[in-house]
Amino acid sequence: MTQAARPRRDRAGYLFLLPWFIGMLFTVIPFFASLYLAFTDYNLLNAPQWIGLENFREMLQDPLLRQSLKVTFIYTFVSVPLSLVVALGVAMLLNQGIKGLPIYRAVFYLPSLLGASVAVVLLWKYIFGLNGIVNAFLGWFGIDGPGWTSDPDYALTTLIILHIWTFGSPMVIFLAGLRQIPGMYYEAASVDGASRWRQFRSITLPLLSPIIFFNLIQSLISSFQTFTQGFIMSGGTGGPADSTMFYNLYLYQQGFSQFHMGYASAMAWMLLVIIAAFTALNFLAAKYWVFYDN
């Protein structure tokens, strides 16, 4: 390449990178602005007032924040393992060489695209409502079902079921991983008399462990950031009786309903620390159960 052509090539490269640089500004500037606002008293109307660690001290004494953490932890630690188990089970069924695999794969993946949408949450609210489809089905057996979405004992459970229903994304990744496991391993195990369960435990799980780890991290991060489901199901209140008060929903209330933007920024950074901590713990634990074919 001639010296005259090199500047033109460089300009073309920078031109293609320009949209990324512009997008980065819309991420980096709010990122550091929120860090500053976390140490201020800011209500969106007046200039921020520096208050140091006061927002973080207030968080330690906020009972509703503790409730939002409780709801988010229960939702995450129940729904994530169950959704991964269902996703792996369905992926193994689809890996049996059934006809029409692309169709089944698309049908099972579709809920992952729609699960967090307003329309699907509204549909879910109708299905589990007092006069919804679930109670109509129970009525055929003479059972009077509760108002699943209006009862504090069941409201969060309906959202956990919604999360499990959206297992399509990890299922597709599991299926791709299963199709990469050489069949000769299973043939050799069968010759040695290994049962299906032993083959699953000794061949499938170890070779699939990097995929399981990837799906686990992705699902954990996504579940900790749940917002739409709780907002639509409760009408933005986190009800009934704060049973669906997710952390992000409470953050939204503080920032955009009560205009405590400084406090909301502090909450956002606390969420970042929580997600980073659980991600780091999983990476530390991965060396004991994740196996790579080096």
Side-chain angles (χ1 to χ4, degrees):
M1 181 179 293
T2 64
Q3 292 296 325
R6 187 178 299 274
R8 290 198 299 271
R9 183 199 63 179
D10 293 343
R11 284 197 297 270
Y14 290 130
L15 184 62
F16 281 112
L17 287 173
L18 184 60
W20 183 86
F21 283 117
I22 295 174
M24 186 179 66
L25 291 177
F26 285 98
T27 301
V28 172
I29 293 176
F31 181 84
F32 288 104
S34 69
L35 179 60
Y36 166 72
L37 292 176
F39 299 93
T40 67
D41 179 13
Y42 181 46
N43 61 5
L44 294 177
L45 300 176
N46 301 315
Q49 300 294 321
W50 183 267
I51 58 174
L53 297 173
E54 188 60 33
N55 285 326
F56 296 94
R57 295 192 189 98
E58 184 179 346
M59 289 168 63
L60 297 176
Q61 303 171 359
D62 188 345
L64 199 52
L65 183 138
R66 290 196 293 271
Q67 171 64 15
S68 69
L69 283 173
K70 176 184 175 182
V71 169
T72 303
F73 283 143
I74 292 175
Y75 176 83
T76 298
F77 296 138
V78 174
S79 65
V80 169
L82 290 178
S83 65
L84 292 182
V85 168
V86 172
L88 179 56
V90 174
M92 293 185 68
L93 288 175
L94 295 180
N95 195 44
Q96 301 302 313
I98 62 175
K99 295 181 179 180
L101 176 61
I103 297 175
Y104 286 110
R105 187 169 53 199
V107 169
F108 284 122
Y109 182 71
L110 187 60
S112 292
L113 301 177
L114 305 175
S117 68
V118 174
V120 170
V121 179
L122 288 174
L123 177 63
W124 213 254
K125 188 175 182 180
Y126 169 74
I127 292 174
F128 285 92
L130 185 60
N131 299 314
I133 297 175
V134 172
N135 281 347
F137 175 77
L138 294 176
W140 292 346
F141 303 95
I143 301 174
D144 293 328
W148 301 92
T149 60
S150 58
D151 190 322
D153 295 331
Y154 301 106
L156 184 59
T157 302
T158 62
L159 294 180
I160 290 174
I161 296 173
L162 173 60
H163 181 91
I164 297 172
W165 179 65
T166 59
F167 64 85
S169 182
M171 182 272 295
V172 170
I173 299 174
F174 278 140
L175 183 58
L178 288 169
R179 297 177 75 84
Q180 296 303 313
I181 299 177
M184 62 181 180
Y185 293 160
Y186 296 104
E187 294 172 2
S190 297
V191 171
D192 290 339
S195 64
R196 287 292 185 92
W197 169 248
R198 183 58 186 271
Q199 292 178 33
F200 173 75
R201 189 164 55 89
S202 301
I203 299 176
T204 305
L205 284 182
L207 294 180
L208 206 62
S209 58
I211 305 296
I212 298 173
F213 178 67
F214 173 80
N215 278 332
L216 175 62
I217 295 296
Q218 292 287 95
S219 298
L220 277 176
I221 294 174
S222 175
S223 295
F224 273 121
Q225 299 180 76
T226 299
F227 170 78
T228 304
Q229 296 91 322
F231 182 85
I232 300 300
M233 188 71 74
S234 66
T237 65
D242 299 325
S243 60
T244 60
M245 180 62 77
F246 289 99
Y247 190 90
N248 268 2
L249 178 54
Y250 186 50
L251 188 156
Y252 170 84
Q253 290 181 352
Q254 287 292 326
F256 297 98
S257 296
Q258 303 180 31
F259 299 111
H260 297 161
M261 189 56 68
Y263 189 70
S265 298
M267 287 183 62
W269 277 90
M270 180 178 176
L271 179 61
L272 174 64
V273 171
I274 291 172
I275 292 176
F278 278 101
T279 302
L281 285 174
N282 276 286
F283 271 95
L284 289 174
K287 62 183 179 180
Y288 297 107
W289 65 275
V290 179
F291 303 96
Y292 295 97
D293 185 15
N294 294 324

